[in-house]
Amino acid sequence: MNKGRLESFSDGVISVSLTLMLYQIQLPAEFTWHGLRMEAPHFLGYVLSFIYVGIYWNNHHHLFQVVGGINGKIMWANLNLLFWLTMIPIATTWAGKSDLLALPTALYALVLFMCAASYWALGRTIIAQEGNGSALAHTLGRDLKGKLSLPVYALAVGVSFCSSIAAFVILTAMAALWFVPDARIERYLREQADQRK
């Protein structure tokens, strides 16, 4: 099946997710520096969540540049990822409104863990369809970054019950790790472009 429709649908869902997060931002109750400081944690949570959704959108785009076609399993794996991405606005709002209490922070970290697990599963589903000799299998290799991410997100869930700040430090570090799109895929695409010249 053609992958273009899946990519267009995914782009639409991701853009709605970003829009929902924007609507959750509240203006400061006071027009003072104190009022701005009171809303700062909510705004910083929005920025982190926006970055996370942007990371998934960017990497999803790169991922499908090396995919030949899709089947029903890939479509369901992609929908699973989109489901967890649409949970980010809810988890962000709850964590922000709770002033980063343990349970909402743990839920936020759990949603990000599920996003990472779903993205990893999507990649594995594509490789299962296209084979171990496929472009994606070649570019991902052993995928140490992907495998390392899951236990780190799980750690953030557990740490949330001891320190919400420490959990957000872990989650921010993971966002920094994934901020740049997968260099292996970009390198592969450059090599393919060079071969066509």
Side-chain angles (χ1 to χ4, degrees), residues 57-170:
W57 174 75
N58 202 329
N59 283 295
H60 186 274
H61 170 73
H62 279 78
L63 179 73
F64 276 90
Q65 294 301 301
V66 295
V67 173
I70 61 168
N71 63 9
K73 289 180 182 178
I74 293 171
M75 291 172 72
W76 280 110
N78 191 69
L79 277 173
N80 179 50
L81 172 62
L82 294 177
F83 171 79
W84 289 107
L85 288 176
T86 61
M87 293 301 291
I88 290 177
I90 297 166
T92 302
T93 301
W94 197 37
K97 287 191 175 180
S98 76
D99 291 325
L100 305 182
L101 291 176
L103 184 59
T105 302
L107 177 68
Y108 181 76
L110 178 65
V111 166
L112 293 178
F113 169 85
M114 292 305 299
C115 288
S118 300
Y119 186 82
W120 182 84
L122 175 60
R124 296 297 123 198
T125 305
I126 292 168
I127 290 172
Q129 162 68 18
E130 298 194 340
N132 289 327
S134 67
L136 182 60
H138 173 72
T139 56
L140 290 184
R142 293 185 298 163
D143 194 23
L144 293 177
K145 191 161 100 170
K147 290 176 184 171
L148 174 69
S149 296
L150 296 177
V152 174
Y153 282 117
L155 175 67
V157 174
V159 167
S160 298
F161 293 102
C162 301
S163 169
S164 295
I165 300 301
F168 271 93
V169 168
I170 293 169

Side-chain angles (χ1 to χ4, degrees), residues 154-191:
L155 175 67
V157 174
V159 167
S160 298
F161 293 102
C162 301
S163 169
S164 295
I165 300 301
F168 271 93
V169 168
I170 293 169
L171 296 173
T172 302
M174 290 304 295
L177 178 68
W178 283 98
F179 190 78
V180 176
D182 200 319
R184 297 166 296 183
I185 292 177
E186 291 203 344
R187 192 178 316 116
Y188 175 82
L189 293 172
R190 276 195 307 271
E191 288 169 3

Side-chain angles (χ1 to χ4, degrees), residues 2-96:
N2 188 296
K3 61 184 181 177
R5 193 166 175 204
L6 179 144
E7 290 178 280
S8 297
F9 177 75
S10 300
D11 287 348
V13 171
I14 290 170
S15 68
V16 168
S17 184
L18 291 172
T19 304
L20 288 174
M21 282 193 302
L22 182 61
Y23 283 129
Q24 299 304 318
I25 294 180
Q26 301 293 317
L27 293 175
E30 304 171 17
F31 296 100
T32 62
W33 287 110
H34 174 72
L36 197 58
R37 272 197 312 274
M38 294 301 291
E39 291 300 323
H42 302 181
F43 181 72
L44 293 175
Y46 164 76
V47 169
L48 181 61
S49 295
F50 186 94
I51 289 169
Y52 262 107
V53 175
I55 287 168
Y56 279 103
W57 174 75
N58 202 329
N59 283 295
H60 186 274
H61 170 73
H62 279 78
L63 179 73
F64 276 90
Q65 294 301 301
V66 295
V67 173
I70 61 168
N71 63 9
K73 289 180 182 178
I74 293 171
M75 291 172 72
W76 280 110
N78 191 69
L79 277 173
N80 179 50
L81 172 62
L82 294 177
F83 171 79
W84 289 107
L85 288 176
T86 61
M87 293 301 291
I88 290 177
I90 297 166
T92 302
T93 301
W94 197 37

